[in-house]
Amino acid sequence: MADLNPIAKRIHQISPGPVELTLDDGTTAIFHISGAEFFQQEFQAEGVSEDDEADYRFITSTDNESVLVGRKGVDESKWTTIGTVTEVTRDGS
């Protein structure tokens, strides 16, 4: 069996505490992650950002190489992929 995605593992280890995520476009935000779990290699979690009231979803890509981030705004019905997570740190604030 292949290894678990290291970024997904780090998110899983830190949650449900606040976690600072850096996305591939360079933006960073602090998220409160809930329901982080693995299904064999596949990772999924949900969360909210401290910056807005939108819902976020985190899943591993099909090839398990990255963690994708989806966002659903407060008044939206569709999920939009906003990027991939490149770095995970425990929020120290």
Side-chain angles (χ1 to χ4, degrees), residues 62-81:
T62 305
D63 62 5
N64 198 40
E65 292 295 315
S66 57
V67 175
L68 307 173
V69 182
R71 180 183 186 280
K72 184 169 92 169
V74 177
D75 296 325
E76 300 173 27
S77 62
K78 294 183 179 181
W79 288 92
T80 303
T81 302

Side-chain angles (χ1 to χ4, degrees), residues 3 7 18 23 25-27 35 40-41 45 48 52 69 76:
D3 292 334
I7 289 176
L23 303 184
D25 67 359
T27 60
Q40 296 185 13
Q41 276 187 280
V48 294
D52 60 26
V69 182
E76 300 173 27

Side-chain angles (χ1 to χ4, degrees), residues 7-61:
I7 289 176
K9 281 176 34 178
R10 183 80 171 130
I11 293 170
H12 187 268
Q13 290 170 340
I14 295 172
S15 68
V19 58
E20 183 177 32
L21 301 179
T22 302
L23 303 184
D24 56 344
D25 67 359
T27 60
T28 62
I30 297 172
F31 292 89
H32 295 272
I33 306 292
S34 61
E37 55 190 353
F38 283 94
F39 300 95
Q40 296 185 13
Q41 276 187 280
E42 296 176 11
F43 173 77
Q44 76 175 35
E46 294 187 0
V48 294
S49 169
E50 289 187 351
D51 296 335
D52 60 26
E53 295 181 17
D55 292 323
Y56 289 85
R57 198 171 275 166
F58 308 89
I59 61 168
T60 46
S61 59

